Amino acid sequence: MLGGFVAGGVDFSSTYQMLIGNAIQMLLDACYGISSIITAKGGGGGTAANSVSTLTGQINTMITGSGGIINAMKGIGFALAALFFLISMIELINSDRLTIELFVKFFARLAVGVAAVAYSDEIYKVCTNFGDALTRLVTNAFDSVNKEFTVPSDIGTLINSKHTGFFSAIGCLLSIAIGMLPCYLLGFVVLILTYVIAFTRLLEMGARGCFLPIAMGLMSDDGWRGAGGRYLKKFLAVCCQSAVLVVIGGLCAYLMGTLAQTVISNIQNTGGEVNLTLLVGNFSLMLGVGVAMISAMMKSIGIVNDMFGA
């Protein structure tokens, strides 16, 4: 039911309340939901967050288990480490530049490469655990700052008191619906994008983890500054991408809550009078924050790559 008739006019107060409250909450939930989905906590993330949690556990078992992919790849990693050492020795011998110092230097690289391959499953766990710990840290920090915004329960009644006539009420209802529609659409887009990024990150982390022993074998070629070191930094960056996404969602949730309070205050200050231009203008600011959040989420891997120099 859209509303009912009361003495002296129509009553759409519950409909006004629902439209404004749901639109604001849709945008706020899109921000708060990032943390729930990315950190696989369920709750705000619902089924998708539970799916992320389940798939993360299954992928980790598949990669690092006793018969996992990493163990199967270790043989290739050992072979690459030995191959690069032999190539270096042959080049030094052919150029008559082999000395004890150079032999020790390249043998040390071989030892580092072999050790990195041998412990590549532990390196995988350390990187993923570090990313999870960093994400929990920033999540707890923003949970203490961001609070759920609640639309005042009397805002619908206040608007209805200014639009009691049938045509006035219909015009107000249409104005609010037009102003709120983009909020619903943007909230839905942000939610879908969060799902896509969460599962993309999970798949990339798993794929990079599978080839970690091969990358660690490259450590015997040029050490930390070579391809192996760059691969490890990139893998660590993917593991920590979730923390950057939570920060982006937390910042946008704070801004959304502040702007939502401005929208409600403007309606209260006008005594419930709804001006379409003012309403759309106020919500345009919230939509702008939402679009900026989408842009920042798409660039999140670049931010974390810069953080680790990957």
Side-chain angles (χ1 to χ4, degrees), residues 230-252:
R230 291 194 301 272
Y231 190 95
L232 182 58
K233 287 188 285 187
K234 181 69 176 179
F235 177 68
L236 183 59
V238 173
C239 293
C240 295
Q241 183 186 7
S242 56
V244 176
L245 290 169
V246 170
V247 168
I248 292 171
L251 291 173
C252 288

Side-chain angles (χ1 to χ4, degrees), residues 89-125:
M89 291 297 100
I90 292 172
E91 289 179 349
L92 290 173
I93 292 173
N94 289 337
S95 60
D96 199 23
R97 293 187 297 114
L98 181 62
T99 62
I100 295 297
E101 291 81 4
L102 287 177
F103 177 81
V104 171
K105 174 184 176 181
F106 283 98
F107 186 80
R109 286 183 179 177
L110 172 64
V112 170
V114 169
V117 173
Y119 289 96
S120 53
D121 50 346
E122 296 299 322
I123 293 174
Y124 175 89
K125 293 177 183 178

Side-chain angles (χ1 to χ4, degrees), residues 137-179:
L137 180 65
V138 296
T139 299
N140 293 335
F142 278 102
D143 282 346
S144 64
V145 174
N146 289 327
K147 305 299 180 183
E148 292 286 348
F149 178 84
T150 303
V151 178
S153 58
D154 63 342
I155 197 69
T157 303
L158 185 62
I159 296 174
N160 194 76
S161 66
K162 282 286 186 178
H163 303 275
T164 55
F166 180 77
F167 291 106
S168 176
I170 292 296
C172 177
L173 192 63
L174 290 175
S175 296
I176 293 176
I178 291 171

Side-chain angles (χ1 to χ4, degrees), residues 1-6 9-16 18 160 166 169-170 173:
M1 292 290 292
L2 285 178
F5 287 90
V6 296
V10 294
D11 183 7
F12 285 156
S13 56
S14 60
T15 307
Y16 299 143
M18 179 193 69
N160 194 76
F166 180 77
I170 292 296
L173 192 63

Side-chain angles (χ1 to χ4, degrees), residues 8-298:
V10 294
D11 183 7
F12 285 156
S13 56
S14 60
T15 307
Y16 299 143
Q17 184 79 28
M18 179 193 69
L19 286 174
I20 295 177
N22 288 355
I24 291 176
Q25 202 60 50
M26 185 74 175
L27 290 175
L28 290 174
D29 286 346
C31 300
Y32 293 124
I34 291 176
S35 174
S36 298
I37 295 170
I38 295 297
T39 57
K41 293 191 305 183
T47 303
N50 295 330
S51 298
V52 172
S53 179
T54 301
L55 291 175
T56 299
Q58 291 179 346
I59 287 177
N60 287 339
T61 301
M62 179 182 67
I63 292 175
T64 62
S66 57
I69 297 175
I70 281 185
N71 285 328
M73 290 288 187
K74 283 183 179 180
I76 300 176
F78 288 134
L80 282 175
L83 177 63
F84 282 116
F85 174 73
L86 289 175
I87 291 175
S88 298
M89 291 297 100
I90 292 172
E91 289 179 349
L92 290 173
I93 292 173
N94 289 337
S95 60
D96 199 23
R97 293 187 297 114
L98 181 62
T99 62
I100 295 297
E101 291 81 4
L102 287 177
F103 177 81
V104 171
K105 174 184 176 181
F106 283 98
F107 186 80
R109 286 183 179 177
L110 172 64
V112 170
V114 169
V117 173
Y119 289 96
S120 53
D121 50 346
E122 296 299 322
I123 293 174
Y124 175 89
K125 293 177 183 178
V126 168
C127 290
T128 53
N129 289 339
F130 177 79
D132 291 342
L134 182 61
T135 302
R136 285 194 298 270
L137 180 65
V138 296
T139 299
N140 293 335
F142 278 102
D143 282 346
S144 64
V145 174
N146 289 327
K147 305 299 180 183
E148 292 286 348
F149 178 84
T150 303
V151 178
S153 58
D154 63 342
I155 197 69
T157 303
L158 185 62
I159 296 174
N160 194 76
S161 66
K162 282 286 186 178
H163 303 275
T164 55
F166 180 77
F167 291 106
S168 176
I170 292 296
C172 177
L173 192 63
L174 290 175
S175 296
I176 293 176
I178 291 171
M180 301 302 105
L181 182 59
C183 299
Y184 285 99
L185 294 177
L186 182 64
F188 182 73
V189 169
V190 171
L191 197 62
I192 294 299
L193 179 63
T194 304
Y195 293 159
V196 171
I197 291 178
F199 286 110
T200 300
R201 170 185 169 271
L202 183 62
L203 291 174
E204 183 177 0
M205 191 167 62
R208 287 185 177 275
C210 290
F211 295 102
L212 197 59
I214 295 177
M216 293 301 92
L218 301 178
M219 297 283 279
S220 64
D221 181 28
D222 199 19
W224 176 252
R225 293 176 297 179
R230 291 194 301 272
Y231 190 95
L232 182 58
K233 287 188 285 187
K234 181 69 176 179
F235 177 68
L236 183 59
V238 173
C239 293
C240 295
Q241 183 186 7
S242 56
V244 176
L245 290 169
V246 170
V247 168
I248 292 171
L251 291 173
C252 288
Y254 180 80
L255 294 176
M256 287 285 192
T258 303
L259 292 173
Q261 184 59 60
T262 301
V263 172
I264 298 301
S265 297
N266 286 338
I267 295 176
Q268 292 173 331
N269 291 339
T270 58
E273 188 69 46
V274 175
N275 181 288
L276 178 59
T277 302
L278 181 61
L279 189 67
V280 172
N282 288 332
F283 272 95
S284 293
L285 296 176
M286 297 183 69
L287 293 174
V289 172
V291 172
M293 180 173 67
I294 291 176
S295 177
M297 289 172 66
M298 298 297 290

